[in-house]
Amino acid sequence: MDDRNNQLYLGAGVATGEMKRILVTGALGQIGSELTLELRKQYGADNVVATDLRNDVPKDFAESGPYENLDVTEGSSLLNVVKKHKIDTIYHLAAILSGVGEQRPELAYSVNMNGLKNVLDVAKDRGMARVMVPSSIAVFGPSTPHDNTPQETVLRPTSMYGVTKVAGELLCDYYWKKFGLDVRGVRYPGLISWKTPPGGGTTDYAVAIYHEAIQKKHYTCFVKESTVLPMMYMPDALRAIIDLAKADGNRLRYRNAYNISALSFDVAELADSIRQHIPEFTVAYEPDYRQQIADGWPHTVDDRAARLDWDWKPEYDLSAMTEDMLSNLGRLIETPA
Ligand code: NAD
Ligand code: SER
């Protein structure tokens, strides 16, 4: 692409930077099911169009605003939805996560790479204001420093999910540098939430443990007791991506993607925090193929760039998160929707 085309795209897309009509892909997943509702609160229900491959839309979610069935690997369908709803901003969440990605690497490649490319192309061609694409601690690998992992460091993951996430970050930066498309992202740690179950990642144990603690007072964990990973509670995760979307672009030294950090604990510490509320809770350990993925990821990450560039700061610590998880899950399990 030459400079003339570069100018053309900059002129069309980044002129106002206003985010008024938002499309969320993968909106029925762990993040999307909560992020969509938060965006609807902030931007108006009709201005946030939820989309997903799935058809089983929960009733309250369906009633909260517009929904379209959309497979992101089908570029023409994506374009139709974007045109129909006059979309100027995309939060692209549709993806295959690390656990499922190792079982189905072709699917992970197709959804994570082709889906992203379709989103970036539609956004570039339509001159969109912003595209938000979450990355992950999965961009790191066994040869990355595991403690206080720097913003800029070795990105040599060994999982298919990690490979697609590194390639995705690079592709997003390419569209920013070459075409002026304002694509931004955070490297999420493992996310913990109670509203929607996680979608097949390595960090899913940190959610399942709460469910099983309440229901069975026992959990069999698929990673070792000493496994330490960075984690974050969903309210902080939602705030992070929305704040980055709204941040002054002139302050951003990076686009794709910012390290963000909140909590780091091993499974024993997590179990202990649950035992503060359920003293009889026990955990057994039966590590499976996900142990190897977890072993390649950081223990803690350095998020000073995010703190400096767009004032990132987490709010939840382990005990506050555990208290909130158990009280909300307890209610949900007693009175399912
Ligand atoms: P999830 O698996 O819970 O949800 C993904 C959604 O995408 C699902 O609802 C699924 O139906 C949908 N989907 C799958 N294939 C699709 C396709 N071809 N077209 C349209 N939709 C499709 O995932 P999540 O946890 O909500 O993750 C969202 C994003 O955040 C992903 O990019 C993921 O890599 C990233 N992330 C998540 C975590 C986490 O712990 N949840 C951590 C780091 C990064
Ligand atoms: N939580 C995600 C996973 O385990 C990390 O990106 O796949």
Side-chain angles (χ1 to χ4, degrees), residues 135-250:
S135 187
S136 163
I137 52 164
V139 295
F140 306 119
S143 54
T144 308
H146 277 41
D147 295 313
N148 215 20
T149 302
Q151 172 68 38
E152 293 192 72
T153 185
V154 180
L155 303 179
R156 306 280 300 171
T158 50
S159 69
M160 176 55 93
Y161 175 68
V163 168
T164 65
K165 283 293 172 187
V166 174
E169 284 191 8
L170 295 175
L171 195 63
C172 289
D173 269 347
Y174 184 84
Y175 274 64
W176 161 240
K177 289 188 182 124
K178 193 81 178 174
F179 308 122
L181 178 66
D182 195 346
V183 195
R184 305 179 183 186
V186 289
R187 291 177 179 145
Y188 275 135
L191 300 184
I192 298 175
S193 66
W194 56 271
K195 285 187 184 152
T196 304
T202 300
T203 57
D204 289 16
Y205 68 86
V207 177
I209 195 169
Y210 287 102
H211 286 259
E212 303 280 293
I214 293 176
Q215 289 175 306
K216 299 183 187 154
K217 315 279 184 250
H218 180 77
Y219 177 57
T220 301
C221 187
F222 59 75
V223 296
K224 290 185 297 196
E225 185 174 18
S226 56
T227 306
V228 180
L229 286 175
M231 301 279 178
M232 184 177 289
Y233 198 33
M234 188 59 85
D236 280 335
L238 300 182
R239 201 162 40 75
I241 197 159
I242 292 173
D243 282 358
L244 178 59
K246 291 176 178 170
D248 176 356
N250 295 319

Side-chain angles (χ1 to χ4, degrees), residues 14 205-206 256:
V14 190
Y205 68 86
N256 303 281

Side-chain angles (χ1 to χ4, degrees), residues 72-74 106 108-119:
V72 291
T73 63
E74 292 173 7
E106 296 84 6
Y109 187 90
S110 166
V111 175
N112 297 2
M113 294 313 308
N114 300 333
L116 173 62
K117 176 84 167 37
N118 287 338
V119 165

Side-chain angles (χ1 to χ4, degrees), residues 29-31 52 70-72 93 97 135 161 165 188-189 191:
Q30 187 191 9
I31 301 176
D52 201 287
L70 175 68
D71 181 343
V72 291
L93 307 180
L97 274 67
S135 187
Y161 175 68
K165 283 293 172 187
Y188 275 135
L191 300 184

Side-chain angles (χ1 to χ4, degrees), residues 249-307:
N250 295 319
R251 286 181 64 195
L252 302 181
R253 284 171 293 159
Y254 303 94
R255 281 291 190 292
N256 303 281
Y258 276 93
N259 280 1
I260 51 170
S261 161
L263 312 164
S264 275
F265 46 75
D266 65 21
V267 191
E269 288 171 280
L270 177 57
D272 279 346
S273 84
I274 293 174
R275 265 186 225 106
Q276 300 295 313
H277 304 266
I278 307 173
E280 66 275 36
F281 177 53
T282 56
V283 184
Y285 296 90
E286 290 179 12
D288 66 15
Y289 68 96
R290 288 166 284 193
Q291 183 68 53
Q292 201 194 347
I293 302 176
D295 288 343
W297 291 354
H299 302 145
T300 53
V301 300
D302 177 354
D303 65 356
R304 277 175 300 173
R307 287 173 188 256

